[in-house]
């Protein structure tokens, strides 16, 4: 037994900051049992994980970014490896001036040093990473063939308030505009994967659908209570987006399945063909905590939970005994 045969498997990965270590565990378990996606789609940290999956595969991608392994021991990345933090006063000035309290310069350098769009194209896989144009409020995807791919990837990872948006010139614009986290509008980029007509889809989200976890103490961001309140507001928005993304797909996918079964042809809505796609949804069985938490033990526990939940999902789907 194992994953069903597929020629165009797709993987759609949502955003969630440091919770992305969960997706690494999920991906490694999926690969172990035969899942080899040819289509990758991601926003925010999901964009980063999707990119590395497209470049080196699901088994190796964790070691490219998240951890270094020696024997059975994993040494996880630290927050300072990707973000530069400042004191409270300087963070406040940066927020007012640039729109974010931290610098992503270390991450920017890592992307330019490591991400190779040509290598991705050479592997023959499809990759879409999403970001939002803050001028037009339009969602846009970047692929390895785009000259601005690395900047688009960086923009997709730039969480609101935490990191300033990126300046990118994307036609038909004649000047650089500000781009930020794709999860603002499309937290789980299922549609980005579906437009390439996969024959199987795996969706990996970083929030357990249902009732959000309550907090007893309002979190702080950069030492500011007010920003903690804003962050909690953004979290609430992302919870709703995640639920709607998945619910809309499941509703349309089931409608397409029933229509194809009864009518013997694909469902068409407003001139658009809606095809049924077999899929599995993998979500955390436990709350993954704060997306700003890069504690090594926390990252390891998220990774281990990803392995466990992926195996459980495969068993539930009948792919494992």
């Amino acid at each position: 037994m194992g994953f069903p045969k597929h020629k165009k498997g797709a993987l759609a990965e949502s955003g969630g900051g440091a919770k992305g270590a969960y997706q690494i565990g999920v991906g490694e378990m999926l690969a172990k049992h035969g899942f080899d996606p040819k289509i990758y789609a991601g926003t925010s940290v999901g964009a980063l994980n999707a990119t590395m999956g497209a470049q080196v595969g699901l088994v190796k991608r964790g070691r490219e970014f998240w951890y270094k392994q020696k024997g059975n021991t994993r040494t996880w990345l630290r927050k300072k490896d990707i973000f530069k933090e400042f004191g409270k006063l300087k963070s406040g000035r940066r927020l007012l001036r640039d729109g974010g309290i931290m610098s992503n310069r270390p991450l920017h350098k890592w992307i330019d040093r490591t991400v190779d769009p040509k290598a991705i194209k050479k592997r023959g896989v499809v990759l879409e990473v999403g970001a939002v144009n803050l001028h037009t409020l339009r969602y846009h995807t970047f692929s390895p063939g785009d000259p601005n791919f690395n900047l688009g990837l960086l923009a997709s990872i730039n969480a609101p308030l935490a990191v300033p948006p990126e300046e990118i010139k994307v036609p038909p614009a004649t000047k650089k505009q500000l781009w930020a986290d794709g999860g603002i509008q499309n937290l789980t980029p299922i549609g980005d994967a579906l437009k390439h007509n996969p024959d199987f889809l795996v969706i990996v989200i970083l929030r357990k659908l249902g009732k959000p976890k309550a907090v007893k103490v309002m979190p702080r961001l950069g030492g500011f209570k007010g920003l903690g309140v804003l962050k909690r507001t953004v979290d609430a928005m992302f919870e709703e987006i995640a639920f709607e993304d998945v619910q809309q797909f499941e509703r349309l996918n089931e409608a397409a399945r029933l229509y194809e079964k009864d009518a013997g042809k694909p469902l068409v809505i407003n001139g658009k063909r809606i095809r049924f796609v077999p899929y599995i949804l993998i979500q955390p069985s436990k709350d993954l905590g704060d997306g700003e938490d890069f504690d090594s033990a926390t990252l390891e526990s998220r990774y281990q939970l990803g392995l466990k939940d992926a195996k459980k999902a495969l068993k539930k789907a009948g792919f494992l005994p």
Side-chain angles (χ1 to χ4, degrees):
M1 296 182 70
F3 229 89
K5 289 185 178 181
H6 55 280
K7 293 182 179 180
K8 287 185 68 177
L11 178 63
E13 297 184 294
S14 73
K19 300 176 188 180
Y22 176 85
Q23 291 171 337
I24 298 303
V26 169
E28 290 181 15
M29 182 59 68
L30 293 176
K32 179 179 178 180
H33 293 287
F35 185 53
D36 181 24
K38 296 295 184 285
I39 302 163
Y40 290 83
T43 54
S44 198
V45 72
L48 178 63
N49 286 340
T51 297
M52 295 319 300
Q55 183 167 318
V56 300
L58 294 179
V59 174
K60 296 180 180 179
R61 67 175 182 171
R63 295 172 189 155
E64 288 288 323
F65 179 75
W66 286 93
Y67 64 81
K68 302 298 180 185
Q69 185 155 357
K70 188 174 183 180
N72 293 324
T73 303
R74 278 174 291 278
T75 303
W76 291 88
L77 62 80
R78 300 160 298 176
K79 190 174 185 178
K80 67 179 183 180
D81 294 330
I82 51 176
F83 298 120
K84 183 177 180 180
E85 296 184 280
F86 303 95
K88 192 172 181 180
L89 184 61
K90 193 170 183 179
S91 293
R93 288 201 301 262
R94 287 181 61 85
L95 177 68
L96 294 174
R97 185 189 67 201
D98 303 323
I101 62 173
M102 297 184 293
S103 167
N104 64 0
R105 184 63 180 164
L107 178 61
H108 194 164
K109 288 182 177 179
W110 182 87
I111 288 175
D112 284 345
R113 184 173 64 247
T114 310
V115 174
D116 185 354
K118 290 182 179 179
I120 297 171
K121 291 178 69 177
K122 190 174 181 179
R123 286 193 75 223
V125 298
V126 172
L127 171 64
E128 302 261 6
V129 302
V132 172
N133 183 322
L134 295 180
H135 295 258
T136 64
L137 298 183
R138 294 290 181 89
Y139 177 82
H140 175 83
T141 58
F142 295 84
S143 61
D146 295 328
N148 291 314
F149 176 76
N150 281 12
L151 278 177
L153 171 60
L154 190 64
S156 184
I157 305 167
N158 286 357
L161 304 178
V163 182
E166 293 300 317
E167 291 187 345
I168 311 174
K169 180 182 174 183
V170 178
T174 56
K175 297 180 180 179
K176 289 183 178 181
Q177 296 179 316
L178 297 179
W179 292 78
D181 192 341
I184 296 172
Q185 289 191 358
N186 192 9
L187 189 63
T188 310
I190 300 170
D192 297 342
L194 291 177
K195 69 184 181 183
H196 296 285
N197 298 313
D199 56 9
F200 198 94
L201 173 65
V202 176
I203 306 164
V204 187
I205 61 176
L206 298 176
R207 291 162 172 80
K208 184 173 175 59
L209 298 179
K211 186 178 180 181
K213 184 181 179 182
V215 294
K216 293 181 179 180
V217 179
M218 190 58 60
R220 291 175 177 266
L221 185 60
F224 297 97
K225 184 177 180 180
L227 288 184
V229 173
L230 283 175
K231 180 180 181 300
R232 190 67 176 158
T233 304
V234 171
D235 286 345
M237 177 184 72
F238 282 164
E239 290 284 349
E240 184 65 21
I241 293 172
F243 180 77
E244 289 182 354
D245 286 347
V246 175
Q247 188 181 54
Q248 183 181 36
F249 162 71
E250 290 184 327
R251 190 166 52 240
L252 282 174
N253 202 47
E254 179 62 10
R257 185 187 71 81
L258 293 173
Y259 188 84
E260 287 179 22
K261 180 180 178 181
D262 294 338
K265 59 182 180 180
L267 173 66
V268 177
I269 300 178
N270 296 327
K272 184 178 179 181
R273 179 178 292 186
I274 310 296
R275 210 169 44 84
F276 170 72
V277 181
Y279 77 100
I280 56 174
L281 169 67
I282 302 176
Q283 59 180 311
S285 55
K286 299 177 182 178
D287 185 81
L288 295 178
D290 192 341
E292 300 290 323
D293 186 357
F294 283 84
D295 175 74
S296 293
T298 302
L299 294 177
E300 177 69 23
S301 68
R302 289 167 178 161
Y303 168 81
Q304 293 293 341
L305 188 64
L307 291 170
K308 179 181 175 182
D309 287 346
K311 190 171 184 179
K312 187 186 302 181
L314 293 175
K315 285 184 176 181
K316 184 178 180 181
F319 302 157
L320 293 178

